[in-house]
């Protein structure tokens, strides 16, 4: 599976949109982009995934560039409870999820 | 939907004893289950992958005789840490993969089990 690169940490003001970037320049055509987050001392929580189209659900939006080499997770109105480590993972169908270091998102009031 | 439970949520045991951790997918059938370990301030590290009714596949460096995995059904997997030692103290997280309404097989994670070996 392709590797991903994420910033180590980001800050966001409460109520504003949080935009978390992810680079996956070696992604292949059948690999999905998954986003998970892990709040302190809990198991990871599934957020969203996509193949090539932009996706939206009740938690977030996922914007994938046309060349699929990068993506952005958008939390439209960040709250203090969104403070967590966010993981961007590229996975081929049937393959296991391998976690990198992720991005520490701190939402501040 | 897509709930994965783990039991117990935390356990303290003496060195040399064995500890069993249960993982259940509550509202979907898991074709595959995974066990991860996480040390403080580190990311999750995959330990092993198991499919129902077959032997688990362990990642490099993980001792299969120390970390026994049983995947008895499509909704239950257990991890037994045998002869636990203080260095086995960690946060153990299970994950279940299945179709749970998002269109493609996705992994869902349990809340984790914190193990402290004295």
């Amino acid at each position: 599976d392709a590797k991903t690169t994420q910033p180590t940490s980001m800050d966001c003001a409460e109520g504003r949109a949080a935009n978390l970037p992810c680079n996956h320049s070696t992604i292949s055509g059948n690999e999905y982009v998954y986003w998970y987050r892990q709040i302190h001392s809990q198991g990871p929580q599934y957020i969203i995934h996509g193949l090539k189209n932009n996706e939206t659900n009740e938690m977030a939006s996922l914007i994938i560039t046309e060349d699929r080499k990068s993506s952005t997770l958008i939390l439209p109105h960040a709250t203090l409870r969104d403070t967590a480590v966010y993981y961007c993972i590229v996975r081929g169908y049937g393959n296991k999820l391998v976690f990198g270091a992720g991005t520490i998102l701190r939402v501040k009031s | 939907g897509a709930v994965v439970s783990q039991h117990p949520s935390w356990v303290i045991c003496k060195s040399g004893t064995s500890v069993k951790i249960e993982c259940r997918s509550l509202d979907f059938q898991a074709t595959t289950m995974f066990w991860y370990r996480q040390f403080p301030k580190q990311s999750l590290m995959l330990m092993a992958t198991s499919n129902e009714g077959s032997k688990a596949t362990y990642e490099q460096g993980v001792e299969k005789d120390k970390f026994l995995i049983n995947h008895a059904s499509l909704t239950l997997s257990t991890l037994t840490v045998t002869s636990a030692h203080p260095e086995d103290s960690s946060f153990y997280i299970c994950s279940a993969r299945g179709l749970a309404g998002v269109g493609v097989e996705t992994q869902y994670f349990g809340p984790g089990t914190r193990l402290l070996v004295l």
Side-chain angles (χ1 to χ4, degrees), chain B:
Chain B
V3 177
V4 177
S5 70
Q6 265 184 259
H7 179 80
S9 55
W10 58 269
V11 58
I12 301 173
C13 70
K14 292 182 179 179
S15 187
T17 60
S18 294
V19 175
K20 180 186 280 189
I21 303 170
E22 277 192 2
C23 175
R24 294 181 185 270
S25 57
L26 298 185
D27 50 3
F28 67 101
Q29 292 188 326
T31 53
T32 307
M33 287 187 167
F34 306 84
W35 287 93
Y36 291 79
R37 180 167 55 179
Q38 186 175 33
F39 292 107
K41 299 192 185 300
Q42 294 185 22
S43 189
L44 283 79
M45 188 176 68
L46 180 64
M47 299 174 66
T49 302
S50 74
N51 293 294
E52 181 245 352
S54 59
K55 289 185 179 179
T57 302
Y58 291 81
E59 296 298 304
Q60 194 170 12
V62 178
E63 299 175 57
K64 62 180 181 181
D65 294 330
K66 179 159 189 67
F67 298 100
L68 301 179
I69 291 172
N70 183 273
H71 193 155
S73 73
L74 287 173
T75 60
L76 172 64
S77 176
T78 59
L79 168 69
T80 302
V81 183
T82 62
S83 187
H85 288 96
E87 57 266 29
D88 298 322
S89 298
S90 189
F91 190 45
Y92 291 87
I93 308 168
C94 77
S95 177
R97 185 167 72 198
L99 283 170
V102 294
V104 65
E105 279 200 329
T106 298
Q107 270 184 245
Y108 299 93
F109 289 81
T113 296
R114 197 161 296 282
L115 171 64
L116 176 61
V117 184
L118 302 177

